[in-house]
């Protein structure tokens, strides 16, 4: 945001550099999609496809820009995601169905791979569980390690909550 950049520029110009006062730069990388409107009739596949396109066109470049700022400012903590994950989806049949669509795992994996690949630090995924479309699962009792459908290869995987599958894949496969 312009205020953040103006503040960093001020610290650079007037006080010998932002890194003396700022440890890291933070953002909230959410994958949304164009067409997310109340009452939309999109299918789960259309939503996943839209999220992939939105991520490629908007989120990946934004993460790259944030990484460039963190590096240019020589911030010891780099960049942090104070929250992030799947953007708001209106509770429609397609958006609810998208939560267990195997493609949503790829959306989540790509987001995390992009974040960490550009040098991102801690990533706080917004909402562990919820009955809407924000959480990783609908139940706090879900355990990805007990889900017999999980496979490291997403094409072989049938876990109940694919966003949890993405978290496990990134955490264990070192993406």
């Amino acid at each position: 945001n312009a205020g953040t950049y103006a503040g960093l520029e001020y610290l650079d110009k007037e006080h010998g550099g932002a890194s003396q006062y700022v440890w890291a730069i933070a953002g909230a990388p959410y994958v949304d999609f164009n067409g997310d409107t109340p009452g939309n009739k999109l299918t789960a596949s259309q939503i996943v496809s839209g999220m992939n396109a939105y991520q490629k066109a908007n989120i990946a470049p934004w993460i790259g820009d944030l990484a460039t700022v963190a590096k240019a400012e020589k911030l010891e903590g780099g960049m942090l995601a104070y929250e992030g994950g799947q953007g708001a989806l209106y509770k429609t049949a397609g958006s609810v169905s998208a939560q267990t669509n195997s493609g949503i795992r790829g959306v989540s994996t790509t987001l995390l791979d992009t974040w960490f690949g550009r040098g991102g630090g801690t990533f706080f995924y917004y909402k562990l569980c919820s009955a809407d479309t924000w959480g990783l699962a609908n139940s706090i009792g879900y355990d990805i390690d007990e889900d017999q459908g999980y496979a490291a290869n997403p094409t072989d995987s049938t876990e109940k909550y694919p966003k949890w599958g993405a978290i496990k894949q990134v955490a264990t496969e070192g993406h």
Side-chain angles (χ1 to χ4, degrees):
N1 105 11
T4 298
Y5 300 128
L8 293 172
E9 184 179 323
Y10 169 79
L11 290 172
D12 288 342
K13 183 178 176 184
E14 301 294 328
H15 297 284
S19 63
Q20 297 179 67
Y21 305 94
V22 179
W23 185 76
I25 192 166
Y30 279 101
V31 179
D32 208 333
F33 68 100
N34 295 328
D36 189 16
T37 58
N40 73 64
K41 304 285 188 217
L42 299 172
T43 66
S45 294
Q46 289 172 312
I47 289 170
V48 168
S49 177
M51 291 178 90
N52 281 321
Y54 184 88
Q55 182 163 219
K56 183 177 181 180
N58 298 288
I59 302 305
W62 175 83
I63 290 171
D65 291 346
L66 198 64
T68 298
V69 169
K71 185 176 181 181
E73 295 293 340
K74 300 177 179 86
L75 301 179
E76 183 181 342
M79 59 182 190
L80 307 173
Y82 63 88
E83 65 180 49
Q86 179 179 326
L89 287 175
Y90 292 97
K91 199 167 181 179
T92 64
S95 66
V96 171
S97 179
Q99 304 315 299
T100 55
N101 180 291
S102 61
I104 202 76
R105 178 171 166 179
V107 169
S108 300
T109 303
T110 298
L111 174 62
L112 295 170
D113 283 349
T114 302
W115 181 259
F116 293 118
R118 291 302 306 247
T122 301
F123 188 108
F124 291 98
Y125 197 98
Y126 183 73
K127 269 199 179 179
L128 175 61
C129 73
S130 64
D132 56 22
T133 59
W134 288 77
L136 291 173
N138 290 353
S139 167
I140 193 74
Y142 176 74
D143 184 349
I144 185 66
D145 293 325
E146 299 296 321
D147 190 328
Q148 298 299 310
Y150 174 82
N153 182 344
T155 58
D156 299 331
S157 201
T158 60
E159 69 271 358
K160 185 174 182 178
Y161 297 110
K163 289 187 277 186
W164 258 118
I167 298 293
K168 182 172 181 175
Q169 178 184 341
V170 171
T172 59
E173 301 297 317
H175 288 248

